[in-house]
Amino acid sequence: MESTSTELSCGSCALSRICLPAHLSARETRILAGAVERGRELQSGARLIRAGARMDALYVVRSGSAKSCGVMNDGEEYVRAFNLPGEVAGLEGFADGHHTCDLVALEPLRYCRIPLGRLERLMETLPGLRREVLRLLGQSLEEAQRMRTEVSMVDARGRLASFLVDLSRRLERRNLPPMHFRLSMSRRDIARHLGLTLETVSRSLGAFRSAGWVEVRARYIKLLQPKALAALLAH
Amino acid sequence: MESTSTELSCGSCALSRICLPAHLSARETRILAGAVERGRELQSGARLIRAGARMDALYVVRSGSAKSCGVMNDGEEYVRAFNLPGEVAGLEGFADGHHTCDLVALEPLRYCRIPLGRLERLMETLPGLRREVLRLLGQSLEEAQRMRTEVSMVDARGRLASFLVDLSRRLERRNLPPMHFRLSMSRRDIARHLGLTLETVSRSLGAFRSAGWVEVRARYIKLLQPKALAALLAH
DNA sequence: GCCGGAATTTGATCCGGATCAATCGAGGCC
DNA sequence: GGCCTCGATTGATCCGGATCAAATTCCGGC
């Protein structure tokens, strides 16, 4: 069942400046909106995409958050990305038409779905949409490559600082309080995302707290000196 | 100056099964070929793409090899990828229209160039080309994400083994000897690519040699027991 | 072939983060 | 509220790979 309080089309969606229609004309947005399906609300832990499944659509987080994750052949979980409202997931499926990782809700989640067939047909006639999909893929690629060099060249605290600052920046773009927020993911998820152990994440957070750069109360984080955090990356 | 011995169009190129035309129809390949420009031979060390430069084309390695690399803010070099014949470079520029890393020839290099404007115009009318560009981006994304989890979850020897096995596989696809080849990149480049130091790369190679899995003579590598190398990844 | 500089190998030591282990705290459920 | 379980913090130790430091090999130029 659809909640009646939510917007009915991309054009009036609060996320339109951030989401797929970001660079589309009014006309293109209207046409795209006709192809978008709205999913019902999912519970925390629900699996929206399954690794190995045929790619049949793009998924966009509408509210809540999710993680893109999978398991290595030794059974260890890894977390490729966290997805906030307005972010598109499942792009890696373009490689061979199958998804390679799961998309799992971290909290109650609403989402939109764009069937692949309709997207491809729309890309034929909407040059703006073509460019936008290429832009999204390019951004994800750039992000993944940047993260890869970060994992191999930046130490534990630097990576955690980078994570917090990046999260803050993404919240800000969504008009959510960027300096005081709740982490929807566990320390373990953060660790798996940054290539660390949960103990190291916890200790690094502790170090930031001792330095007076953050306040930490369970999953609630307040950034007191974001500049100090960002400075960890410079070196 | 163009060598007279090289093919003149994508359709007759030895790389056509691997390169951009891989999944295009004969007609689409012919049309694409009309948009492709052939660059002159570059010397080792030449820079084909510069970080920060406006993205004005896609580049494809025709012969030789290259590295996609850049420098972190602390001056350390990183290597995102090595590019073999038939591989497309510069895709990350789709993110915002600018390249974020350099493309540097590792040995004398020939390349093709597809101007972005022409590519976009062709994508309007050639659905196969649209799909192919999306596929390429999806593959690069998948590869970058896979590498990222590998850097954070696999130890030094496992990563080096993975690198050698992957290289072998890519050479095989190009009908080049997959078990006995010359590394066009330095130990330092390999290290920067795998998130290691050159000493660790050298020591790991030494360990493989001692185990009788490879023969190493300077930059020449012979894989004696590729299965043993691949097995390092399983665990 | 010989020479010089760079790349590579090999050796010794050190350290950041993993691992193992115990305690503490928070939120859900009755 | 009180219990119970899972998540998070804190502590102690260990180890893989980084770092520092030669020694050796490779390769291009003469």
Side-chain angles (χ1 to χ4, degrees), chain A residues 185-198:
Chain A
M185 67 294 288
S186 68
R187 302 284 192 269
R188 188 169 169 286
D189 286 335
I190 297 172
R192 294 281 178 249
H193 180 55
L194 299 177
L196 299 170
T197 59
L198 62 92

Side-chain angles (χ1 to χ4, degrees), chain A residues 91-185:
Chain A
L91 291 168
E92 91 290 346
F94 278 121
D96 76 339
H98 293 266
H99 291 291
T100 53
C101 60
D102 292 351
L103 185 65
V104 177
L106 290 169
E107 50 191 331
L109 180 99
R110 289 182 301 160
Y111 67 95
C112 293
R113 181 174 180 282
I114 308 166
L116 202 55
R118 303 194 66 174
L119 181 71
E120 286 183 343
R121 244 168 296 129
L122 288 182
M123 284 178 68
E124 184 154 4
T125 54
L126 303 180
L129 184 61
R130 271 204 301 279
R131 260 195 299 275
E132 185 62 10
V133 172
L134 291 180
R135 199 181 60 79
L136 279 174
L137 274 159
Q139 274 187 345
S140 297
L141 177 59
E142 171 60 23
E143 167 73 4
Q145 292 183 334
R146 204 185 48 71
M147 285 291 304
R148 174 152 94 77
T149 72
E150 198 174 286
V151 167
S152 69
M153 305 190 74
V154 180
D155 66 10
R157 291 178 190 192
R159 274 182 267 169
L160 184 62
S162 168
F163 170 71
L164 292 175
V165 169
D166 179 61
L167 198 55
S168 173
R169 200 179 43 73
R170 284 153 76 195
L171 292 170
E172 188 170 27
R173 282 204 59 198
R174 287 159 181 78
N175 294 319
L176 297 167
M179 292 305 162
H180 196 190
F181 49 86
R182 180 180 178 279
L183 297 171
S184 59
M185 67 294 288

Side-chain angles (χ1 to χ4, degrees), chain A:
Chain A
M1 294 294 101
E2 234 3 270
S3 157
T4 56
S5 68
T6 56
E7 64 293 329
L8 294 166
S9 92
C10 293
S12 61
C13 176
L15 291 168
S16 63
R17 290 264 148 63
I18 290 157
C19 189
L20 247 168
H23 299 83
L24 300 189
S25 69
R27 187 183 78 90
E28 289 178 320
T29 301
R30 214 174 326 113
I31 297 173
L32 174 66
V36 173
E37 298 173 359
R38 274 140 212 291
R40 58 183 181 73
E41 180 156 329
L42 297 179
Q43 294 185 340
S44 180
R47 209 163 297 251
L48 191 47
I49 297 178
R50 246 166 237 285
R54 182 154 203 84
M55 179 197 196
D56 58 354
L58 286 186
Y59 292 88
V60 186
V61 175
R62 189 138 50 92
S63 70
S65 57
K67 60 175 175 179
S68 302
C69 59
V71 285
M72 299 241 72
N73 32 28
D74 65 354
E76 279 298 300
E77 190 195 36
Y78 59 83
V79 176
R80 286 185 172 180
F82 296 111
N83 304 274
L84 299 188
E87 290 177 344
V88 180
L91 291 168
E92 91 290 346
F94 278 121
D96 76 339
H98 293 266
H99 291 291
T100 53
C101 60
D102 292 351
L103 185 65
V104 177
L106 290 169
E107 50 191 331
L109 180 99
R110 289 182 301 160
Y111 67 95
C112 293
R113 181 174 180 282
I114 308 166
L116 202 55
R118 303 194 66 174
L119 181 71
E120 286 183 343
R121 244 168 296 129
L122 288 182
M123 284 178 68
E124 184 154 4
T125 54
L126 303 180
L129 184 61
R130 271 204 301 279
R131 260 195 299 275
E132 185 62 10
V133 172
L134 291 180
R135 199 181 60 79
L136 279 174
L137 274 159
Q139 274 187 345
S140 297
L141 177 59
E142 171 60 23
E143 167 73 4
Q145 292 183 334
R146 204 185 48 71
M147 285 291 304
R148 174 152 94 77
T149 72
E150 198 174 286
V151 167
S152 69
M153 305 190 74
V154 180
D155 66 10
R157 291 178 190 192
R159 274 182 267 169
L160 184 62
S162 168
F163 170 71
L164 292 175
V165 169
D166 179 61
L167 198 55
S168 173
R169 200 179 43 73
R170 284 153 76 195
L171 292 170
E172 188 170 27
R173 282 204 59 198
R174 287 159 181 78
N175 294 319
L176 297 167
M179 292 305 162
H180 196 190
F181 49 86
R182 180 180 178 279
L183 297 171
S184 59
M185 67 294 288
S186 68
R187 302 284 192 269
R188 188 169 169 286
D189 286 335
I190 297 172
R192 294 281 178 249
H193 180 55
L194 299 177
L196 299 170
T197 59
L198 62 92
E199 292 96 328
T200 298
V201 169
S202 184
R203 272 187 253 269
S204 300
L205 268 181
F208 294 165
R209 193 167 37 68
S210 302
W213 297 346
V214 300
E215 249 177 60
V216 185
R217 274 187 60 82
R219 290 196 176 183
Y220 289 90
I221 298 276
K222 186 186 271 186
L223 303 187
L224 301 173
Q225 302 206 43
K227 296 236 169 111
L229 292 173
L232 285 183
L233 297 179
H235 165 249

